Amino acid sequence: MKVHILLGPPGSGKGTQAKRLVEKFNLNHLSTGDILRDAVSKETEIGRMAKAIMASGKLVDDDTVNGLVFARLQQGFEGDVLFDGYPRTLQQAKALGEFLSTQMIGLGNVVNIAVPDGVLEARVVGRRVCSNNDCGAIYHVESKPPKQDGICDLCGSPLKHRSDDTAEAFRSRMADFNASFQPLLGFYEHQPHYRSVDGNLAPEQVFESLVQLFPESA
Ligand code: AP5
Ligand code: MG
């Protein structure tokens, strides 16, 4: 088992691309945003703590997120794991590195999906997601509308607007991203399987670029 990492700002397409990569390469998708949203909807202790933080676009504290990820990794996976939205601070990257070495788990691809800031807000504010957490399909009111307004093409569940997909929360998420990204990049950019792909292309083209990177080490 290895872990692969997708980096990128809010709205860069990590979730969209992760779903495709997971299907093509039979990976396990581990999105800390999805895990936390699930905890919020189930009103667990962590969910109650994280709810307002997430809605305002701030980051949940490193120890909580690391704890969730390590607990899940310790349960084991059949095959490789693809992280989406984790790690996103230098502290998380270092803690993950230590955890992987103690568990003798390898680090595979680390891929940055690079998208200019100017296009991200419209992507996020127009996003709609399937309310069925087991499906979680991702849409956009303009660039990827569902066939039937407000209904998931894949499972028929209602679509919803994430509570942090407002312009205000997006700006807060971008501020956190901009503060944490350079140290994170500094940590990963010299590792052998670090790559950056152009995420400002059609989703299919971004996927093509990612597919080129995965087979060699996945
Ligand atoms: P998280 O859920 O990880 O949100 P994020 O990183 O802000 O990323 P998004 O999910 O918004 O965007 P995405 O890159 O997945 O884009 P998507 O594919 O959906 O985290 C949410 C919150 O949880 C955080 O703010 C924080 O509070 C907490 N959290 C999570 N992880 C944490 C951590 N590690 N530490 C601390 N706190 C943590 O696409 C977006 C839209 O664009 C969609 O509408 C899609 O259709 C469209 N789109 C996608 N690709 C393209 C394309 N190529 N061209 C045009 N449109 C596109
Ligand atoms: Mg996402």
Side-chain angles (χ1 to χ4, degrees):
M1 168 180 151
K2 273 189 208 162
V3 304
H4 307 278
I5 297 172
L6 287 183
L7 304 174
S12 54
K14 301 181 296 295
T16 300
Q17 299 300 335
K19 284 181 180 299
R20 293 174 175 218
L21 290 167
V22 159
E23 201 174 304
K24 183 161 178 80
F25 295 113
N26 207 18
L27 307 168
N28 298 282
H29 185 191
L30 209 158
S31 154
T32 42
D34 288 349
I35 292 173
L36 287 164
R37 279 184 287 278
D38 191 49
V40 170
S41 71
K42 290 183 175 145
E43 299 185 357
T44 65
E45 196 177 325
I46 287 175
R48 286 196 299 273
M49 178 277 292
K51 185 175 181 176
I53 298 173
M54 292 174 73
S56 69
K58 297 280 170 219
L59 291 176
V60 175
D61 70 279
D62 289 332
D63 289 345
T64 297
V65 178
N66 289 333
L68 285 170
V69 170
F70 300 163
R72 183 64 194 88
L73 286 176
Q74 264 163 339
Q75 287 169 15
F77 281 102
E78 290 269 324
D80 288 4
V81 174
L82 180 64
F83 283 131
D84 152 8
Y86 178 87
R88 64 214 267 163
T89 65
L90 182 59
Q91 197 277 354
Q92 290 177 17
K94 287 181 173 169
L96 175 65
E98 282 166 25
F99 180 85
L100 295 180
S101 61
T102 57
Q103 303 289 314
M104 299 205 290
I105 299 171
L107 180 64
N109 293 309
V110 180
V111 187
N112 177 37
I113 304 180
V115 180
D117 289 6
V119 303
L120 295 169
E121 182 173 327
R123 285 196 190 182
V124 163
V125 172
R127 171 171 45 196
R128 299 292 182 272
V129 291
C130 179
S131 58
N132 169 5
N133 291 343
D134 293 335
C135 173
I138 301 168
Y139 298 87
H140 189 278
V141 288
E142 283 165 11
S143 62
K144 193 177 185 297
K147 292 192 184 88
Q148 191 185 339
D149 199 23
I151 301 293
C152 179
D153 293 348
L154 302 182
C155 75
S157 301
L159 301 186
K160 64 177 185 187
H161 195 211
R162 269 171 47 179
S163 64
D164 58 348
D165 278 351
T166 61
E168 194 186 356
F170 167 77
R171 285 181 201 132
S172 169
R173 285 153 67 192
M174 274 310 289
D176 270 335
F177 174 80
N178 285 327
S180 57
F181 185 65
Q182 283 308 323
L184 199 56
L185 195 59
F187 187 84
Y188 284 122
E189 67 187 345
H190 300 299
Q191 77 90 23
H193 295 294
Y194 171 79
R195 297 285 186 281
S196 184
V197 298
D198 182 358
N200 195 22
L201 301 169
E204 296 68 29
Q205 289 174 281
V206 180
F207 184 59
E208 293 280 299
S209 316
L210 290 166
V211 166
Q212 304 302 317
L213 304 180
F214 269 76
E216 64 188 59
S217 59

